[in-house]
Amino acid sequence: MYNTTMTCIFCGIADGSIKSQLIYEDEDVVAFKDLNPQAPTHLLIIPRQHIARLDEADEQHALLLGKLLLTAKKLAKQFNLKDFRLVTNNGKGAGQSVDHLHFHLMAGRRFNWPAG
Ligand code: 5GP
Ligand code: ZN
């Protein structure tokens, strides 16, 4: 089983053994503040289940992936975010540094497009 604090920081945050500023949790999804925020609001939304990145997800994760997106929407509402950016980096070349699927929910500044 890969789901241990020893091997994955975000599994540790999800099971409470690594401290974070928790924003939301339910049986499937956890959201917390990014340690090194890149915007005035910068939250990370993760599945409790260890999935390394989006390209490791498949049909069996369809409901879970939907929950992650709906959690982003709910948090955007809760935090009164009118405009926000939701991003996942898939692989090192795309900027992924933690190998546990996560969506960045960012707001409170202007974002460029295309993303850098
Ligand atoms: P990635 O680069 O993989 O897309 O995003 C990983 C994010 O996780 C980064 O924005 C980084 O600041 C954040 N991060 C890394 N380690 C920790 C941690 O221990 N706690 C929290 N709250 N965020 C972390
Ligand atoms: Zn993990």
Side-chain angles (χ1 to χ4, degrees), residues 3-44:
N3 207 22
T4 69
T5 307
M6 295 279 283
T7 50
C8 177
I9 302 168
F10 286 1
C11 283
I13 287 176
D15 73 19
S17 59
I18 293 177
K19 270 182 78 174
S20 72
Q21 286 185 269
L22 217 63
I23 296 296
Y24 173 83
E25 62 177 331
D26 63 28
E27 69 265 38
D28 299 313
V29 175
V30 178
F32 50 96
K33 289 192 179 177
D34 195 292
L35 201 58
N36 182 24
Q38 301 301 312
T41 300
H42 187 171
L43 308 180
L44 298 172

Side-chain angles (χ1 to χ4, degrees), residues 26-116:
D26 63 28
E27 69 265 38
D28 299 313
V29 175
V30 178
F32 50 96
K33 289 192 179 177
D34 195 292
L35 201 58
N36 182 24
Q38 301 301 312
T41 300
H42 187 171
L43 308 180
L44 298 172
I45 302 166
I46 69 168
R48 282 191 189 279
Q49 182 184 349
H50 183 89
I51 301 167
R53 58 196 152 273
L54 188 59
D55 70 10
E56 281 206 352
D58 55 31
E59 288 305 319
Q60 65 171 321
H61 301 115
L63 187 60
L64 181 58
L65 293 171
K67 283 185 175 181
L68 291 166
L69 294 181
L70 286 173
T71 301
K73 187 205 99 168
K74 282 181 207 159
L75 292 177
K77 191 165 189 188
Q78 181 186 325
F79 279 74
N80 244 325
L81 310 177
K82 193 168 73 69
D83 300 323
F84 59 87
R85 181 165 285 182
L86 189 67
V87 175
T88 190
N89 297 323
N90 188 97
K92 273 196 173 52
Q96 185 173 11
S97 60
V98 177
D99 284 336
H100 181 128
L101 176 62
H102 50 283
F103 287 93
H104 297 258
L105 176 61
M106 294 185 287
R109 68 167 171 84
R110 196 175 166 76
F111 295 100
N112 296 324
W113 191 258

